[in-house]
């Protein structure tokens, strides 16, 4: 598909005529083609297309705008946008607004309309990074499902969910296909007037850590889908597991990259397991050790780009994924990559042994007792739930998983079959 969107803007007295050419796009559904009104900026979004158009005039839009004319044969949409003059005082920017997106490149109002699949922080410009983190922690605390987590923990120990945990190649040298190379070229050329900004980009640590968080999200989706894109669920998995894509949050350490990924993988996807999170991190470390880690990372970013481009998550391609593709393709990040996989390798055992902060130790013991009918005196112990902040700042190590492993190892085969039957019959809300 040609992802290049072309438009013209004609400012006339009292209105702007905005014409968009959208090749290979179904334009029959006019309700989906409403323009967003963002001060002196108009935003057109129709997956996989997204464009922000600034208006130089001292004007603001006054109402929602729907297509004035549709040319089905040429795939051209025309809007007539009413305008009104504003005083010069309103041109003063709001000093309380925060930047967001890739490397904080973006600013201004971003009023995201959430849907059943797409749940992200609306109006990120209103929240500092600390406030975004607080919103994430509150959401995780509210959404954690102890029964789902506990049963998934047991099932992973029995049969690893029946997944092929080695489905992602992580050795030697990744070769990008001709189609992927063409995609990268198109994405880079979209910003050909400002490529210098990427080539001379001083990459900070949060940008690299956000990249790792997104790649980990892709790895999870690839593992559970056998390395194939699932058009129904891949975009949901990837955007919910990444703190950058779901809360526009900048992660500030390797330790936090791992802690946040562990917490979110045990709350939101279909399979919720610390052991599965560990396997995903191991795949990331192996990929960063490849002969050409940049190509390996680009392959994962292009997977996310394809997952997002035909649904509500297309906006995340604009604010994150395409910019990350440009950075990895154009910038020298080898030193950062080398430092990251060394730190990941060092931190993984420490993070894996710590509680998530949801009181999951007791949950695991309770579920094992209920499913296997094993009397476990330890279920009477007082294992208080930690706060979200404590779990991300460090806490005492947990022994529940080793206890659970010991129990599972002595279970005979026919008992394992019974356990699987109970797992299948247990009703757990996703």
């Amino acid at each position: 598909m040609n992802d290049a969107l072309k438009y013209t803007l004609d400012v006339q007295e009292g209105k702007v005529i905005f014409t968009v050419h959208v090749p290979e796009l179904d334009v029959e559904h006019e309700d989906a083609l409403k323009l967003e009104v963002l001060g002196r900026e108009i935003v057109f979004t129709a997956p996989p297309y997204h464009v922000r158009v600034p208006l130089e005039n001292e004007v603001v839009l006054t109402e929602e705008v729907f297509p004035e004319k549709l040319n089905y044969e040429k795939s051209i949409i025309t809007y007539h946008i009413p305008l009104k003059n504003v005083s010069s005082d309103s041109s003063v920017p709001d000093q309380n607004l925060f930047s967001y997106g890739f490397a904080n490149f973006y600013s201004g109002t971003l009023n995201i309309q959430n849907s059943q699949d797409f749940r992200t922080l609306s109006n990120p410009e209103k929240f500092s990074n600390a406030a975004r983190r607080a919103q994430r922690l509150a959401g995780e605390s509210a959404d954690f499902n102890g029964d789902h987590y506990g049963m998934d923990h047991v099932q992973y120990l029995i049969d690893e969910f029946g997944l092929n945990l080695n489905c992602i190649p992580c050795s030697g040298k990744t070769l990008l296909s001709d189609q992927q190379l063409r995609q990268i070229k198109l994405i880079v050329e979209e910003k050909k007037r400002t490529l210098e900004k990427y080539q001379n980009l001083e990459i900070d640590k949060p940008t690299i850590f956000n990249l790792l968080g997104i790649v980990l999200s892709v790895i999870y989706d690839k593992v559970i889908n056998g390395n194939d894109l699932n058009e129904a669920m891949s975009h949901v998995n990837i955007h919910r597991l990444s703190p950058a894509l779901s809360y526009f949050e900048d992660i500030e350490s390797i330790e936090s990259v791992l802690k946040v990924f562990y917490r979110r993988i045990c709350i939101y996807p279909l399979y919720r397991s610390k052991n599965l999170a560990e396997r995903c991190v191991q795949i990331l470390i192996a990929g960063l050790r490849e002969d050409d880690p940049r190509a390996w990372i680009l392959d994962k970013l292009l997977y996310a780009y394809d997952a997002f481009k035909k649904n509500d998550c297309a906006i995340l391609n604009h604010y994150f994924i395409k910019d990350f593709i440009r950075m990895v393709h154009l910038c020298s990040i080898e030193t950062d990559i080398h430092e990251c996989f060394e730190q990941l390798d060092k931190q993984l055992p420490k993070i894996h042994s710590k509680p998530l902060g949801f009181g999951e130790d007791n949950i695991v013991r309770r579920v094992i007792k209920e499913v296997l009918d094993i009397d476990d005196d330890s279920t009477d112990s007082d294992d208080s739930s930690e706060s979200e902040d404590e779990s991300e700042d460090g806490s005492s190590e947990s022994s529940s998983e080793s206890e659970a492993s010991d129990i599972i190892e002595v279970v005979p085969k026919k008992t394992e079959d019974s356990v699987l039957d109970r797992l299948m019959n247990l009703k757990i809300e996703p």
Side-chain angles (χ1 to χ4, degrees), residues 39-67:
R40 290 180 184 80
E41 185 177 57
I42 55 178
V43 178
F44 173 84
T45 302
Y49 304 102
H50 181 86
V51 64
R52 300 178 66 160
V53 183
L55 298 173
E56 297 180 358
N57 300 60
E58 291 290 326
V59 293
V60 293
L61 304 178
T62 60
E63 59 187 58
E64 294 179 348
V65 181
F66 292 89

Side-chain angles (χ1 to χ4, degrees), residues 227-246:
N227 209 22
D228 290 327
L229 188 68
N230 181 330
E231 291 191 2
M233 287 303 297
S234 288
H235 62 290
V236 178
N237 291 329
I238 296 169
H239 106 263
R240 288 191 188 175
L241 290 181
S242 162
L245 301 179
S246 52

Side-chain angles (χ1 to χ4, degrees), residues 12 14-20 27 29-31 33-35 44 63-72 76-82:
Q12 300 181 3
K15 67 179 177 180
V16 169
I17 299 177
F18 180 55
T19 304
V20 191
V27 294
H29 306 292
E30 297 186 26
D31 288 344
L33 300 176
K34 181 181 69 176
L35 289 180
F44 173 84
E63 59 187 58
E64 294 179 348
V65 181
F66 292 89
E68 180 79 12
K69 182 179 179 182
L70 291 173
N71 187 321
Y72 294 99
I76 293 176
I77 311 168
T78 302
Y79 298 87
H80 287 187
I81 306 167

Side-chain angles (χ1 to χ4, degrees), residues 331-360:
C331 300
S332 176
I333 60 172
E334 286 79 7
T335 300
D336 296 295
I337 290 174
H338 183 76
E339 291 178 359
C340 285
F341 77 66
E342 286 189 338
Q343 292 182 53
L344 286 166
D345 208 16
K346 180 180 179 180
Q347 291 289 336
L348 179 57
K350 300 177 183 178
I351 300 301
H352 185 74
S353 65
K354 292 181 179 179
L356 300 170
F358 303 117
E360 71 277 1

Side-chain angles (χ1 to χ4, degrees), residues 174-228:
T174 296
L175 296 176
L176 298 173
S177 68
D178 290 341
Q179 180 181 357
Q180 288 177 314
L181 292 172
R182 284 194 295 270
Q183 274 186 306
I184 293 171
K185 183 180 178 182
L186 282 171
I187 290 169
V188 170
E189 287 182 347
E190 282 182 15
K191 296 286 186 178
K192 59 185 176 183
R193 295 180 181 178
T194 57
L195 281 186
E196 220 175 280
K197 179 169 67 171
Y198 294 90
Q199 293 165 335
N200 299 326
L201 179 66
E202 293 186 10
I203 304 171
D204 59 7
K205 291 299 183 183
T207 300
I208 288 292
F209 298 149
N210 285 343
L211 172 64
L212 295 179
I214 292 171
V215 173
L216 278 171
S217 302
V218 171
I219 290 171
Y220 169 87
D221 189 76
K222 278 175 163 278
V223 168
I224 70 163
N225 288 308
N227 209 22
D228 290 327

